Amino acid sequence: MLRYPSMRRELVECLEILGSPELRDGRTGEPIQLDVPVHFLFDDSVLADDAERAIGWYLVDADEAQLVRDVIGAIDRIFVAHGTEHPDQYFLELPEWTRVLGLARTAATTLKDRDPGHW
């Protein structure tokens, strides 16, 4: 049993945003906002520093921690290469963002499949 299922739901929502091809293609009809998912992953949680610390809290095991670490690593590589001071659309249009899309989609799907009662 996870201690913070609400944080798990928030994590999944963030991963779904990052993994949305509609977001990348501008088909959401809403302004593109990467702030919430990026801040959650890098600033508002322990995930960027040590995802394993979230096991038992809102991640089930090391496999889930690795999935989240993969997403964070892909985003971090983009930020290192391009900086962080660009508009969201700049990042979404980078060829490297395709990797973020795939990793985030896989992570979101896996977390949801492992905890189907909460969706």
Side-chain angles (χ1 to χ4, degrees), residues 8-57:
R8 183 180 182 86
R9 283 190 294 278
E10 187 174 353
L11 171 59
V12 169
E13 289 172 8
C14 289
L15 293 168
E16 287 179 328
I17 290 169
L18 293 170
S20 169
E22 291 80 18
L23 178 73
R24 180 179 181 167
D25 298 340
R27 295 180 297 189
T28 62
E30 298 177 16
I32 295 167
Q33 295 284 321
L34 293 178
D35 289 352
V36 171
V38 169
H39 281 294
F40 183 85
L41 294 174
F42 286 87
D43 303 324
D44 299 340
S45 67
V46 300
L47 296 170
D49 296 324
D50 184 7
E52 280 76 15
R53 285 186 26 216
I55 295 171
W57 295 89

Short mmCIF file of all heavy atoms in Angstrom, two decimals, residues 8-57:
data_model
loop_
_atom_site.label_atom_id
_atom_site.label_comp_id
_atom_site.label_asym_id
_atom_site.label_seq_id
_atom_site.Cartn_x
_atom_site.Cartn_y
_atom_site.Cartn_z
N ARG A 8 1.02 9.93 -6.47
CA ARG A 8 1.16 9.02 -7.62
C ARG A 8 0.26 9.49 -8.75
O ARG A 8 0.68 9.52 -9.91
CB ARG A 8 0.81 7.59 -7.20
CG ARG A 8 1.01 6.57 -8.32
CD ARG A 8 0.64 5.18 -7.83
NE ARG A 8 0.86 4.16 -8.82
CZ ARG A 8 2.00 3.53 -9.04
NH1 ARG A 8 3.07 3.83 -8.33
NH2 ARG A 8 2.11 2.59 -9.96
N ARG A 9 -0.97 9.86 -8.43
CA ARG A 9 -1.89 10.37 -9.46
C ARG A 9 -1.32 11.64 -10.10
O ARG A 9 -1.38 11.81 -11.32
CB ARG A 9 -3.27 10.64 -8.87
CG ARG A 9 -4.08 9.37 -8.66
CD ARG A 9 -5.52 9.67 -8.31
NE ARG A 9 -5.68 10.31 -7.02
CZ ARG A 9 -5.70 9.68 -5.85
NH1 ARG A 9 -5.57 8.35 -5.81
NH2 ARG A 9 -5.86 10.34 -4.73
N GLU A 10 -0.75 12.52 -9.28
CA GLU A 10 -0.15 13.75 -9.82
C GLU A 10 1.04 13.41 -10.72
O GLU A 10 1.20 14.01 -11.79
CB GLU A 10 0.29 14.66 -8.68
CG GLU A 10 0.77 16.00 -9.15
CD GLU A 10 1.07 16.97 -8.02
OE1 GLU A 10 0.80 16.66 -6.84
OE2 GLU A 10 1.61 18.05 -8.33
N LEU A 11 1.85 12.45 -10.31
CA LEU A 11 2.98 12.02 -11.13
C LEU A 11 2.49 11.47 -12.47
O LEU A 11 3.02 11.83 -13.53
CB LEU A 11 3.81 10.96 -10.40
CG LEU A 11 4.90 10.27 -11.20
CD1 LEU A 11 5.91 11.27 -11.75
CD2 LEU A 11 5.58 9.20 -10.35
N VAL A 12 1.48 10.63 -12.44
CA VAL A 12 0.95 10.07 -13.68
C VAL A 12 0.40 11.17 -14.58
O VAL A 12 0.64 11.18 -15.79
CB VAL A 12 -0.12 8.99 -13.40
CG1 VAL A 12 -0.86 8.60 -14.67
CG2 VAL A 12 0.52 7.77 -12.76
N GLU A 13 -0.30 12.13 -14.00
CA GLU A 13 -0.81 13.25 -14.79
C GLU A 13 0.33 14.02 -15.45
O GLU A 13 0.24 14.40 -16.62
CB GLU A 13 -1.65 14.18 -13.92
CG GLU A 13 -2.98 13.60 -13.50
CD GLU A 13 -3.70 14.44 -12.47
OE1 GLU A 13 -3.26 15.58 -12.18
OE2 GLU A 13 -4.72 13.97 -11.94
N CYS A 14 1.40 14.24 -14.71
CA CYS A 14 2.56 14.95 -15.26
C CYS A 14 3.19 14.15 -16.39
O CYS A 14 3.55 14.70 -17.44
CB CYS A 14 3.59 15.23 -14.17
SG CYS A 14 3.05 16.50 -13.00
N LEU A 15 3.32 12.85 -16.19
CA LEU A 15 3.90 12.00 -17.24
C LEU A 15 3.00 11.98 -18.47
O LEU A 15 3.49 11.97 -19.60
CB LEU A 15 4.12 10.59 -16.70
CG LEU A 15 5.20 10.45 -15.63
CD1 LEU A 15 5.13 9.08 -14.98
CD2 LEU A 15 6.58 10.72 -16.20
N GLU A 16 1.70 11.98 -18.27
CA GLU A 16 0.77 12.00 -19.41
C GLU A 16 0.90 13.31 -20.19
O GLU A 16 0.82 13.30 -21.41
CB GLU A 16 -0.66 11.77 -18.94
CG GLU A 16 -0.91 10.34 -18.53
CD GLU A 16 -2.32 10.09 -18.04
OE1 GLU A 16 -2.93 11.01 -17.43
OE2 GLU A 16 -2.82 8.97 -18.25
N ILE A 17 1.07 14.41 -19.49
CA ILE A 17 1.27 15.69 -20.17
C ILE A 17 2.55 15.63 -21.00
O ILE A 17 2.56 15.98 -22.18
CB ILE A 17 1.34 16.85 -19.16
CG1 ILE A 17 -0.04 17.09 -18.54
CG2 ILE A 17 1.87 18.12 -19.83
CD1 ILE A 17 -0.02 18.02 -17.35
N LEU A 18 3.63 15.17 -20.40
CA LEU A 18 4.91 15.10 -21.10
C LEU A 18 4.88 14.11 -22.25
O LEU A 18 5.61 14.28 -23.24
CB LEU A 18 6.03 14.73 -20.12
CG LEU A 18 6.34 15.77 -19.05
CD1 LEU A 18 7.28 15.19 -18.02
CD2 LEU A 18 6.90 17.03 -19.67
N GLY A 19 4.06 13.09 -22.15
CA GLY A 19 3.98 12.06 -23.18
C GLY A 19 2.91 12.28 -24.21
O GLY A 19 2.63 11.40 -25.02
N SER A 20 2.30 13.44 -24.20
CA SER A 20 1.19 13.71 -25.10
C SER A 20 1.67 14.24 -26.45
O SER A 20 2.19 15.36 -26.53
CB SER A 20 0.26 14.74 -24.46
OG SER A 20 -0.68 15.19 -25.40
N PRO A 21 1.48 13.49 -27.53
CA PRO A 21 1.83 14.03 -28.84
C PRO A 21 0.96 15.23 -29.21
O PRO A 21 1.38 16.11 -29.93
CB PRO A 21 1.60 12.87 -29.80
CG PRO A 21 0.83 11.85 -29.06
CD PRO A 21 0.96 12.14 -27.59
N GLU A 22 -0.25 15.28 -28.67
CA GLU A 22 -1.12 16.43 -28.92
C GLU A 22 -0.49 17.69 -28.37
O GLU A 22 -0.58 18.76 -28.96
CB GLU A 22 -2.51 16.22 -28.30
CG GLU A 22 -3.32 15.15 -28.97
CD GLU A 22 -2.94 13.74 -28.53
OE1 GLU A 22 -2.29 13.56 -27.48
OE2 GLU A 22 -3.29 12.80 -29.26
N LEU A 23 0.15 17.58 -27.21
CA LEU A 23 0.83 18.73 -26.63
C LEU A 23 1.94 19.20 -27.55
O LEU A 23 2.06 20.38 -27.88
CB LEU A 23 1.41 18.36 -25.26
CG LEU A 23 2.19 19.45 -24.54
CD1 LEU A 23 1.25 20.52 -24.03
CD2 LEU A 23 2.97 18.86 -23.39
N ARG A 24 2.72 18.26 -28.02
CA ARG A 24 3.85 18.61 -28.89
C ARG A 24 3.36 19.24 -30.20
O ARG A 24 3.95 20.19 -30.70
CB ARG A 24 4.69 17.38 -29.20
CG ARG A 24 5.86 17.73 -30.09
CD ARG A 24 6.72 16.58 -30.41
NE ARG A 24 7.81 17.05 -31.25
CZ ARG A 24 8.87 16.37 -31.52
NH1 ARG A 24 9.03 15.17 -31.02
NH2 ARG A 24 9.82 16.85 -32.28
N ASP A 25 2.30 18.71 -30.74
CA ASP A 25 1.80 19.19 -32.02
C ASP A 25 0.89 20.41 -31.90
O ASP A 25 0.39 20.91 -32.89
CB ASP A 25 1.03 18.08 -32.74
CG ASP A 25 1.92 16.89 -33.06
OD1 ASP A 25 3.16 17.06 -33.08
OD2 ASP A 25 1.38 15.80 -33.28
N GLY A 26 0.65 20.86 -30.66
CA GLY A 26 -0.20 22.03 -30.46
C GLY A 26 -1.66 21.77 -30.70
O GLY A 26 -2.43 22.68 -30.96
N ARG A 27 -2.08 20.51 -30.60
CA ARG A 27 -3.47 20.16 -30.89
C ARG A 27 -4.36 20.14 -29.65
O ARG A 27 -5.47 19.69 -29.71
CB ARG A 27 -3.53 18.79 -31.57
CG ARG A 27 -2.86 18.80 -32.93
CD ARG A 27 -2.93 17.46 -33.56
NE ARG A 27 -2.20 16.50 -32.73
CZ ARG A 27 -1.93 15.26 -33.09
NH1 ARG A 27 -2.34 14.80 -34.23
NH2 ARG A 27 -1.25 14.47 -32.29
N THR A 28 -3.85 20.61 -28.53
CA THR A 28 -4.66 20.57 -27.31
C THR A 28 -5.68 21.69 -27.28
O THR A 28 -6.64 21.63 -26.53
CB THR A 28 -3.77 20.68 -26.06
OG1 THR A 28 -3.08 21.95 -26.09
CG2 THR A 28 -2.78 19.54 -25.97
N GLY A 29 -5.45 22.74 -28.04
CA GLY A 29 -6.35 23.88 -28.01
C GLY A 29 -6.09 24.79 -26.83
O GLY A 29 -6.74 25.81 -26.66
N GLU A 30 -5.15 24.42 -25.98
CA GLU A 30 -4.80 25.22 -24.81
C GLU A 30 -3.34 25.62 -24.92
O GLU A 30 -2.56 24.97 -25.60
CB GLU A 30 -5.02 24.39 -23.54
CG GLU A 30 -6.45 23.97 -23.33
CD GLU A 30 -6.62 23.10 -22.10
OE1 GLU A 30 -5.70 23.09 -21.25
OE2 GLU A 30 -7.64 22.45 -21.99
N PRO A 31 -2.96 26.68 -24.21
CA PRO A 31 -1.54 27.05 -24.21
C PRO A 31 -0.68 25.90 -23.67
O PRO A 31 -1.07 25.20 -22.74
CB PRO A 31 -1.47 28.25 -23.27
CG PRO A 31 -2.87 28.74 -23.14
CD PRO A 31 -3.76 27.56 -23.40
N ILE A 32 0.46 25.73 -24.27
CA ILE A 32 1.36 24.66 -23.85
C ILE A 32 2.04 25.08 -22.55
O ILE A 32 2.59 26.16 -22.45
CB ILE A 32 2.39 24.39 -24.96
CG1 ILE A 32 1.67 23.84 -26.18
CG2 ILE A 32 3.48 23.45 -24.47
CD1 ILE A 32 2.51 23.82 -27.42
N GLN A 33 1.97 24.21 -21.57
CA GLN A 33 2.53 24.49 -20.25
C GLN A 33 3.36 23.31 -19.77
O GLN A 33 2.82 22.29 -19.36
CB GLN A 33 1.41 24.75 -19.24
CG GLN A 33 0.59 25.98 -19.51
CD GLN A 33 1.33 27.24 -19.13
OE1 GLN A 33 2.01 27.27 -18.12
NE2 GLN A 33 1.19 28.27 -19.92
N LEU A 34 4.66 23.46 -19.82
CA LEU A 34 5.54 22.41 -19.28
C LEU A 34 5.91 22.68 -17.83
O LEU A 34 6.49 21.83 -17.19
CB LEU A 34 6.81 22.31 -20.13
CG LEU A 34 6.63 21.81 -21.55
CD1 LEU A 34 7.96 21.80 -22.28
CD2 LEU A 34 6.02 20.42 -21.56
N ASP A 35 5.58 23.86 -17.33
CA ASP A 35 6.00 24.23 -15.98
C ASP A 35 5.57 23.23 -14.91
O ASP A 35 6.38 22.83 -14.08
CB ASP A 35 5.45 25.61 -15.59
CG ASP A 35 6.12 26.74 -16.34
OD1 ASP A 35 7.10 26.48 -17.05
OD2 ASP A 35 5.65 27.88 -16.21
N VAL A 36 4.31 22.85 -14.93
CA VAL A 36 3.80 21.97 -13.87
C VAL A 36 4.51 20.62 -13.87
O VAL A 36 5.06 20.22 -12.83
CB VAL A 36 2.27 21.80 -13.97
CG1 VAL A 36 1.78 20.72 -13.02
CG2 VAL A 36 1.58 23.12 -13.67
N PRO A 37 4.56 19.89 -14.99
CA PRO A 37 5.24 18.60 -14.93
C PRO A 37 6.74 18.71 -14.66
O PRO A 37 7.30 17.90 -13.91
CB PRO A 37 4.96 17.95 -16.28
CG PRO A 37 4.50 19.04 -17.17
CD PRO A 37 3.92 20.10 -16.30
N VAL A 38 7.39 19.71 -15.23
CA VAL A 38 8.82 19.85 -15.02
C VAL A 38 9.11 20.21 -13.56
O VAL A 38 10.01 19.64 -12.93
CB VAL A 38 9.43 20.89 -15.99
CG1 VAL A 38 10.86 21.25 -15.61
CG2 VAL A 38 9.39 20.33 -17.42
N HIS A 39 8.34 21.12 -13.00
CA HIS A 39 8.55 21.47 -11.58
C HIS A 39 8.26 20.28 -10.67
O HIS A 39 8.97 20.07 -9.68
CB HIS A 39 7.71 22.68 -11.18
CG HIS A 39 8.30 23.97 -11.62
ND1 HIS A 39 9.49 24.47 -11.13
CD2 HIS A 39 7.88 24.86 -12.55
CE1 HIS A 39 9.78 25.61 -11.72
NE2 HIS A 39 8.82 25.86 -12.60
N PHE A 40 7.23 19.52 -10.99
CA PHE A 40 6.94 18.35 -10.16
C PHE A 40 8.12 17.38 -10.16
O PHE A 40 8.56 16.92 -9.12
CB PHE A 40 5.67 17.63 -10.63
CG PHE A 40 5.31 16.46 -9.76
CD1 PHE A 40 4.56 16.65 -8.61
CD2 PHE A 40 5.73 15.18 -10.07
CE1 PHE A 40 4.24 15.57 -7.78
CE2 PHE A 40 5.41 14.10 -9.26
CZ PHE A 40 4.67 14.30 -8.11
N LEU A 41 8.63 17.08 -11.34
CA LEU A 41 9.72 16.10 -11.45
C LEU A 41 11.04 16.61 -10.87
O LEU A 41 11.77 15.86 -10.23
CB LEU A 41 9.93 15.70 -12.90
CG LEU A 41 8.80 14.93 -13.56
CD1 LEU A 41 9.08 14.74 -15.04
CD2 LEU A 41 8.58 13.59 -12.88
N PHE A 42 11.36 17.88 -11.10
CA PHE A 42 12.67 18.40 -10.73
C PHE A 42 12.71 19.14 -9.39
O PHE A 42 13.74 19.15 -8.72
CB PHE A 42 13.21 19.33 -11.83
CG PHE A 42 13.68 18.59 -13.04
CD1 PHE A 42 12.80 18.28 -14.06
CD2 PHE A 42 15.00 18.22 -13.17
CE1 PHE A 42 13.23 17.60 -15.19
CE2 PHE A 42 15.45 17.54 -14.29
CZ PHE A 42 14.55 17.23 -15.32
N ASP A 43 11.61 19.79 -9.02
CA ASP A 43 11.66 20.67 -7.85
C ASP A 43 10.74 20.25 -6.70
O ASP A 43 11.10 20.42 -5.54
CB ASP A 43 11.26 22.10 -8.25
CG ASP A 43 12.14 22.65 -9.36
OD1 ASP A 43 13.34 22.34 -9.36
OD2 ASP A 43 11.61 23.37 -10.22
N ASP A 44 9.56 19.73 -7.02
CA ASP A 44 8.55 19.49 -6.00
C ASP A 44 8.55 18.08 -5.44
O ASP A 44 7.68 17.73 -4.64
CB ASP A 44 7.16 19.79 -6.56
CG ASP A 44 7.02 21.24 -7.00
OD1 ASP A 44 7.82 22.07 -6.55
OD2 ASP A 44 6.12 21.52 -7.81
N SER A 45 9.49 17.27 -5.87
CA SER A 45 9.56 15.89 -5.39
C SER A 45 11.03 15.48 -5.29
O SER A 45 11.92 16.22 -5.69
CB SER A 45 8.83 14.95 -6.37
OG SER A 45 9.53 14.89 -7.60
N VAL A 46 11.25 14.29 -4.77
CA VAL A 46 12.62 13.76 -4.65
C VAL A 46 13.06 13.05 -5.92
O VAL A 46 14.18 12.57 -6.00
CB VAL A 46 12.74 12.77 -3.47
CG1 VAL A 46 12.39 13.46 -2.16
CG2 VAL A 46 11.87 11.54 -3.68
N LEU A 47 12.20 12.99 -6.91
CA LEU A 47 12.43 12.14 -8.07
C LEU A 47 13.71 12.45 -8.82
O LEU A 47 14.44 11.54 -9.22
CB LEU A 47 11.23 12.21 -9.01
CG LEU A 47 9.93 11.67 -8.40
CD1 LEU A 47 8.74 12.00 -9.30
CD2 LEU A 47 10.04 10.18 -8.16
N ALA A 48 14.03 13.71 -9.05
CA ALA A 48 15.23 14.07 -9.81
C ALA A 48 16.51 13.76 -9.03
O ALA A 48 17.53 13.45 -9.63
CB ALA A 48 15.21 15.53 -10.21
N ASP A 49 16.44 13.83 -7.72
CA ASP A 49 17.62 13.58 -6.89
C ASP A 49 17.82 12.11 -6.59
O ASP A 49 18.94 11.61 -6.63
CB ASP A 49 17.53 14.36 -5.57
CG ASP A 49 17.55 15.86 -5.80
OD1 ASP A 49 18.27 16.32 -6.72
OD2 ASP A 49 16.83 16.57 -5.08
N ASP A 50 16.72 11.43 -6.26
CA ASP A 50 16.82 10.02 -5.84
C ASP A 50 15.44 9.39 -5.90
O ASP A 50 14.72 9.32 -4.90
CB ASP A 50 17.39 9.95 -4.42
CG ASP A 50 17.62 8.54 -3.94
OD1 ASP A 50 17.46 7.58 -4.74
OD2 ASP A 50 17.97 8.37 -2.76
N ALA A 51 15.07 8.94 -7.08
CA ALA A 51 13.72 8.39 -7.29
C ALA A 51 13.42 7.21 -6.37
O ALA A 51 12.27 6.99 -6.00
CB ALA A 51 13.54 7.99 -8.75
N GLU A 52 14.44 6.46 -5.98
CA GLU A 52 14.21 5.31 -5.11
C GLU A 52 13.64 5.72 -3.75
O GLU A 52 12.96 4.93 -3.10
CB GLU A 52 15.51 4.52 -4.90
CG GLU A 52 15.85 3.59 -6.05
CD GLU A 52 16.41 4.31 -7.26
OE1 GLU A 52 16.81 5.50 -7.14
OE2 GLU A 52 16.42 3.71 -8.34
N ARG A 53 13.89 6.96 -3.33
CA ARG A 53 13.33 7.42 -2.05
C ARG A 53 11.81 7.50 -2.11
O ARG A 53 11.16 7.52 -1.06
CB ARG A 53 13.92 8.77 -1.68
CG ARG A 53 15.34 8.64 -1.18
CD ARG A 53 15.98 9.91 -0.65
NE ARG A 53 15.10 10.92 -0.13
CZ ARG A 53 15.33 12.22 -0.27
NH1 ARG A 53 16.38 12.65 -0.94
NH2 ARG A 53 14.51 13.10 0.25
N ALA A 54 11.23 7.52 -3.30
CA ALA A 54 9.77 7.59 -3.44
C ALA A 54 9.12 6.20 -3.39
O ALA A 54 7.90 6.10 -3.34
CB ALA A 54 9.40 8.30 -4.73
N ILE A 55 9.93 5.15 -3.38
CA ILE A 55 9.37 3.79 -3.30
C ILE A 55 8.66 3.62 -1.96
O ILE A 55 9.21 3.93 -0.90
CB ILE A 55 10.48 2.73 -3.49
CG1 ILE A 55 11.05 2.83 -4.89
CG2 ILE A 55 9.94 1.32 -3.21
CD1 ILE A 55 12.29 1.98 -5.13
N GLY A 56 7.44 3.15 -2.05
CA GLY A 56 6.62 2.98 -0.85
C GLY A 56 5.77 4.21 -0.56
O GLY A 56 4.75 4.12 0.10
N TRP A 57 6.21 5.34 -1.04
CA TRP A 57 5.47 6.58 -0.86
C TRP A 57 4.50 6.79 -2.02
O TRP A 57 3.31 6.94 -1.81
CB TRP A 57 6.42 7.77 -0.74
CG TRP A 57 7.28 7.68 0.48
CD1 TRP A 57 8.50 7.07 0.57
CD2 TRP A 57 6.97 8.14 1.78
NE1 TRP A 57 8.97 7.14 1.86
CE2 TRP A 57 8.05 7.81 2.63
CE3 TRP A 57 5.89 8.84 2.33
CZ2 TRP A 57 8.07 8.13 3.97
CZ3 TRP A 57 5.92 9.16 3.67
CH2 TRP A 57 7.00 8.81 4.47
#
